[in-house]
Amino acid sequence: MNITDFKIRNFEKIGKSHSVSKKGMVATSHPIASNAGLSVLNDGGNAVDAALVMSIVLCMAEPHMTGIGGDCFALITKDGSTKNLRAINASGYAGKKYKSSKVLTDKGINEMASNMPHSVTIPGAVSGWESLHKSYGKKSWKEIFQIALSYIDEGVLVNERVSLDWIRNEKKLSEDPDTKSIFLKNDKSFNFKQLFKNERLIETLKLISEEGSRGFYNGFVAKDLCEKLNSLGGMQTLDDFSNYEAEWIEPIEYNYKGYKIHECPPNGQGIAVFLILSMLKKFDLNKTSKFEFYHLFCEVVKLSYSLRDNFLSDPKFYNSSYLNWFDEQLIEKCIKKIDLEKSRKFDKSDFPEHSDTVYLTARDEDGMTVSFINSLFDAFGSGITGSKSGVLLHCRGKSFNLKKGHPNELMGLKR
């Protein structure tokens, strides 16, 4: 595509101009991370090197959103072509001792909550980083960490948006003494322009830079996290940690009016995007007003999420092809539920609300492109922090269902 194929925007209206670059581009939610990623590209690193550096920096710059105590998913193409697109699933599984939902319901627990140890699945991020680096990294593993640490080892000034999220979670951060000692200052959240530094986490990152993922899953970090979770009633074991490995998987794709959209397959939620598009495809959007489009879009999203809530699961445990979700009869049945005059009410979803993650992307001059998510699932994840490692743990396991026989029922080693 030539630059002349793009329409120059109307500068008399509010909007954004195209960003262009000769050698590469990055995008993150924080300027420090973006700056670090660009420095990697300018110094001869590739897109994966940049993505990893940016993700490490964000562990300190946006600690409520991401960290090594969380999970990651990524899509990558080596040359910009989607013909060789690959995906990595570095989301964690439940501990082996969580044999079924009965393990918790027998204890009187009928709902997963973010602040319980049972919602902490084995964090997959570090294994995912290492798998990406082994397959595509150009700079050495140690150098990547050295670059990232040079941006965060003296701490990071809290920006306005981060400070807003921080103050909203003061109560959550006060519940665990280790979390409180790191993430609160004089029992209060860190404010705009204050310096935040998680010294224990920095030491843990230095250890991982020397030992690789072994330093996280087979050593002092795993022991620290296991002991902490077990002290709170969690059933995770050292074997759960040491046996964990991120997985390379085949991406899924959907053709929407000539555009190919790519996502990670279930257990990821990307398939919901395909459901939304498959329903929108049935309408002539050129004939809808702006108001009608928003209404239609909201109704389609509700229907798609309803299907997600009832069927999305770890495919290793639930023998149902995601392709069945796109059966024409099922889509038509959903479409018939849409009333263009009023909003449809649904039963309350038993899938938990969550809105906190980081997305980042990088592309280098050779066309290598990475689409990358690293998440704690909730603001400050579970609110549970390792006593010695400074690792704040995520809570993706709160997505499990405790209804016996549900496709997404909690089970050992299930994602």
Side-chain angles (χ1 to χ4, degrees), residues 1-8:
M1 185 177 283
N2 297 317
I3 191 67
T4 52
D5 294 326
F6 288 101
K7 263 189 177 179
I8 302 299

Side-chain angles (χ1 to χ4, degrees), residues 165-348:
D165 292 331
W166 218 308
I167 198 169
R168 288 172 172 171
N169 289 278
E170 273 185 2
K171 183 178 183 300
K172 182 177 187 176
L173 295 171
S174 67
E175 292 171 354
D176 177 81
D178 294 307
T179 302
K180 182 179 178 180
S181 68
I182 295 171
F183 295 98
L184 293 182
K185 188 173 184 177
N186 300 323
D187 295 338
K188 295 293 182 181
S189 65
F190 280 77
N191 293 324
F192 174 46
K193 293 193 290 185
Q194 284 187 321
L195 186 73
F196 170 69
K197 182 180 180 182
N198 183 345
E199 293 184 11
R200 282 173 259 178
L201 179 64
I202 287 172
E203 292 307 310
T204 297
L205 290 170
K206 288 177 180 176
L207 174 71
I208 295 168
S209 77
E210 295 285 347
E211 299 184 6
S213 67
R214 286 185 302 106
F216 185 92
Y217 296 99
N218 295 276
F220 124 84
V221 180
K223 188 171 184 290
D224 178 51
L225 298 178
C226 231
E227 286 178 353
K228 180 60 180 279
L229 291 167
N230 294 165
S231 73
L232 298 171
M235 299 164 65
Q236 297 84 352
T237 67
L238 288 175
D239 282 345
D240 292 330
F241 279 84
S242 63
N243 291 330
Y244 181 81
E245 275 187 39
E247 295 181 355
W248 286 102
I249 50 176
E250 283 296 314
I252 54 178
E253 67 176 56
Y254 183 76
N255 192 308
Y256 179 76
K257 299 183 178 180
Y259 290 91
K260 279 187 181 178
I261 295 93
H262 303 270
E263 294 278 359
C264 291
N267 61 309
Q269 298 183 56
I271 195 169
V273 175
F274 294 176
L275 287 166
I276 292 167
L277 294 173
S278 66
M279 293 183 205
L280 287 176
K281 209 174 187 179
K282 299 291 182 180
F283 296 87
D284 186 351
L285 301 181
N286 291 321
K287 293 183 178 179
T288 60
S289 67
K290 194 172 184 179
F291 171 80
E292 289 169 333
F293 170 75
Y294 284 130
H295 171 70
L296 176 62
F297 185 81
C298 289
E299 297 303 290
V300 162
V301 168
K302 286 189 285 185
L303 284 163
S304 300
Y305 283 0
S306 177
L307 288 172
R308 175 203 66 180
D309 296 351
N310 289 306
F311 297 110
L312 184 66
S313 181
D314 183 339
K316 291 180 181 177
F317 287 77
Y318 184 54
N319 188 22
S320 176
S321 171
Y322 75 88
L323 293 172
N324 295 336
W325 294 25
F326 300 98
D327 177 77
E328 281 295 316
Q329 289 184 324
L330 176 62
I331 298 300
E332 288 294 340
K333 187 179 177 182
C334 289
I335 294 297
K336 286 178 182 176
K337 294 179 180 179
I338 296 176
D339 187 333
L340 293 175
E341 299 297 323
K342 61 182 180 181
S343 175
R344 177 182 168 84
K345 288 186 178 180
F346 284 83
D347 293 335
K348 188 177 183 301

Side-chain angles (χ1 to χ4, degrees), residues 343-382:
S343 175
R344 177 182 168 84
K345 288 186 178 180
F346 284 83
D347 293 335
K348 188 177 183 301
S349 173
D350 56 13
F351 194 86
E353 289 185 15
H354 69 286
S355 57
D356 296 274
T357 186
V358 298
Y359 174 81
L360 60 90
T361 185
R363 182 180 174 96
D364 61 34
E365 61 183 331
D366 295 320
M368 180 183 285
T369 310
V370 186
S371 178
F372 194 103
I373 286 174
N374 211 102
S375 172
L376 291 178
F377 201 73
D378 262 4
F380 293 101
S382 63

